Amino acid sequence: MSPQLPPVAPAVTAELVAALSPRLRKRLDSGIAKLADRPVVRDGAVVRIAVDDDTDLELHAPDGAVRGADAVRCGCLLAPDCLHRAAAASLAPVAEDTDSAAPQDRSAAEEDTAQAPETATPEQRAAVRAVQLATSAVLEAGTDGAGAVLQAELLRAAHTARLAGLHRAAATAVSVVTALRAARAADPAYHLTELAAGLYEVLSVAHRLPSASGGELTALRGTARQPYRPDGSLRLYGLFSEPVLTASGYAGAVTWTADAEGRLYQVSDVAPGGAGRAVGAADRTVRIGDTALTHRELARAGLAVSGATVSPTGRLGAGAGVRAVRAPGAGWHEEPVARLWAEPVPDQIARALAGGRDLLFLDVTLTGTAVEAAGDCLLAEGAGVPLRLTAAHDDPALPHRDNLRLLSAAPGTRLRVVARLTPAPHPRAQLLAAEHPTRADTRLDIGLDRLQGADLPTTTAAPSGSAPVPVSASASACDEAPIHLLRRRVHQAVSGGRPVLALPGDTRADARRLRRSGLTTAAELLTDLHSAAADRAHDVFGRLRPTDPDRFARAWLAAAHYTRELDRTLCLAAWTS
């Protein structure tokens, strides 16, 4: 397996693509495809791509990422004005912001917030407008049409936004580019819903920021890094570990812990890398204090920390003043950990949908498996409702799907689990950790520990080739809720762009069905979205005028916002019915 290319800073990719001639820009996507098939070797901080038998291209990444255009060097005769340098930068993962990728225990985030103006500055308005225009162009083209040139424009806008202090818009714009690349490369880890969510986030921030002030403006601006604050002494109990594997080229593990009051804290080890690093990170020593615990061990033990520093999201800092030693852990059925499962599920769901932690602590009974477009999911009964437990990652190097498949062969088994809420019109969550189906007081990290057939109860074990059971009628009916008529168009726009929705067709039947179901606003949004897509006026000579990406983006944003909010309402209703 060839080494992975080092991440490249957004500004570098934007600079290299902008320097290309119009002729070379048209060839950029095909150049990327050709370069993707060439051999890659790593020599320390230098990664070499064999452009041909006589020419190498080098990416220099002394700190793990390429930070300057001069760090991408090609030996061909046309260099430095060749296509290869821009193709390599566009092929490589997008580097995270230096501050965001390596948060420090002390940061300038508090000072940034304290000095923030009450309204957006002209520079910030101009920067967010550039992000809005670049994102609208991506939406207009769809994933099939949003090639390397449009991606570079969005990366340039993201860099400008970061320089203007708009860290939230910049980070989300970069995540959109990463998702676009995964979609165009047919990466199995790509999910259309994640790209749609990223586009929604960018356009929503760009729409709201120019008129925002005070606290809303601060939230929309975001921060360059997570501010770590002193939190004294902590007594923590390990809960579980999960692998981290991002499309942007970062991998590792995060171990979740809780204190005696049920507050959650994380210890992370994430760095540039692929699936191999995600698999191996669980056996790395946690980077906090002097402890010699690995992530896998901490998930089942405890930790006593003094001089702790903690980010707003609960991430523990690893500064020089932090001290940590191993301490006894607690089982999931023992206090103080058991209180996490004692919280009513409706309260857990409401908090997650309100923007709080999205981890769910559930007691479930397994009922089988179901086939979905995204893959098999594990069916269970929990909190009095039928729910679907899905894989957090699809990468075959991680055991998520294999573990779900084995657990589905043990219907009737009762388990205490940890899952991550997936907002949907039906109860749905990603399975992260579970009790062992046959060994009491043993926990399974679903993304790190691999179950075997012998681990299943002998009375329920089923052959590996057993067929999945169909989804229940009630679940299918929920999937066919009329709102899917609008949501489908929102997703079609993301994948196919404006031209797909501009194709001739009668949307009146779908609009009438939405109105009959009481979703009048959804019907109007559907009609407006198609109207914006098909709006191509002619000039006095009968020629088509250019499209209005702004109008189409606004119509799409309104439809996406409506479906998002209705999905959240339906999700809460489904879990509490």
Side-chain angles (χ1 to χ4, degrees), residues 47-124:
V47 174
R48 293 186 179 87
I49 306 174
V51 176
D52 55 40
D53 293 340
D54 302 314
T55 306
D56 285 344
L57 184 147
E58 296 181 349
L59 293 92
H60 293 252
D63 67 344
V66 176
R67 302 291 179 188
D70 58 350
V72 183
R73 307 167 189 172
C74 185
C76 75
L77 295 176
L78 297 178
D81 300 321
C82 62
L83 180 69
H84 305 131
R85 298 173 70 223
S90 301
L91 179 63
V94 183
E96 294 185 9
D97 185 289
T98 303
D99 292 337
S100 300
Q104 304 296 319
D105 289 347
R106 295 185 58 83
S107 79
E110 295 94 338
E111 288 82 355
D112 290 345
T113 301
Q115 297 173 6
E118 289 302 309
T119 59
T121 65
E123 179 189 17
Q124 289 175 336

Side-chain angles (χ1 to χ4, degrees), residues 9 119 329 391 396 431 441:
T119 59
L431 184 61
D441 301 325

Side-chain angles (χ1 to χ4, degrees), residues 169-370:
T172 312
V174 168
S175 73
V176 166
V177 173
T178 297
L180 281 172
R181 292 180 178 179
R184 293 172 61 84
D187 188 333
Y190 164 72
H191 294 288
L192 174 61
T193 53
E194 293 180 2
L195 175 55
L199 288 167
Y200 170 82
E201 170 76 3
V202 177
L203 290 173
S204 179
V205 170
H207 174 74
R208 295 160 52 199
L209 189 139
S211 60
S213 61
E216 182 188 14
L217 176 61
T218 299
L220 292 172
R221 288 173 67 248
T223 56
R225 63 182 83 174
Q226 294 189 72
Y228 281 68
R229 295 180 173 85
D231 203 15
S233 298
L234 297 173
R235 176 65 170 91
L236 304 176
Y237 301 84
L239 294 173
F240 71 98
S241 290
E242 62 172 322
V244 174
L245 183 60
T246 72
S248 59
Y250 286 78
V254 172
T255 298
W256 291 81
T257 65
D259 66 9
E261 283 71 44
R263 291 189 294 265
L264 300 185
Y265 299 84
Q266 311 108 54
V267 180
S268 66
D269 179 3
V270 179
R277 192 179 195 285
V279 172
D283 295 313
R284 293 174 179 267
T285 301
V286 298
R287 295 185 296 179
I288 178 170
D290 301 321
T291 178
L293 285 171
T294 65
H295 282 270
R296 194 184 302 274
E297 292 170 336
L298 176 58
R300 293 154 179 81
L303 205 63
V305 185
S306 61
T309 57
V310 184
S311 78
T313 59
R315 181 175 175 178
L316 291 173
V322 179
R323 298 289 182 268
V325 296
R326 181 173 187 156
W332 284 0
H333 291 271
E334 303 171 356
E335 292 296 342
V337 171
R339 69 176 54 196
L340 294 168
W341 279 265
E343 182 181 12
V345 173
D347 293 349
Q348 297 187 47
I349 301 298
R351 179 181 57 249
L353 292 175
R357 73 180 189 216
D358 56 1
L359 294 185
L360 304 179
F361 299 87
L362 308 170
D363 289 298
V364 304
T365 301
L366 306 184
T367 58
T369 187

Side-chain angles (χ1 to χ4, degrees), residues 426-485:
H426 53 271
R428 187 182 189 88
Q430 296 174 344
L431 184 61
L432 303 176
E435 293 177 315
H436 195 283
T438 56
R439 280 181 270 176
D441 301 325
T442 299
R443 311 174 198 172
L444 292 170
D445 295 328
I446 298 299
L448 298 170
D449 301 324
R450 194 172 290 275
L451 273 171
Q452 305 295 328
D455 294 318
L456 301 181
T458 55
T459 57
T460 58
S464 59
S466 58
V469 300
V471 181
S472 66
S474 60
S476 296
C478 190
D479 274 354
E480 295 302 318
I483 190 59
H484 83 281
L485 299 173

Side-chain angles (χ1 to χ4, degrees), residues 381-394:
E381 293 282 340
V385 297
L387 63 116
R388 304 183 205 181
L389 298 172
T390 63
H393 288 284
D394 294 322

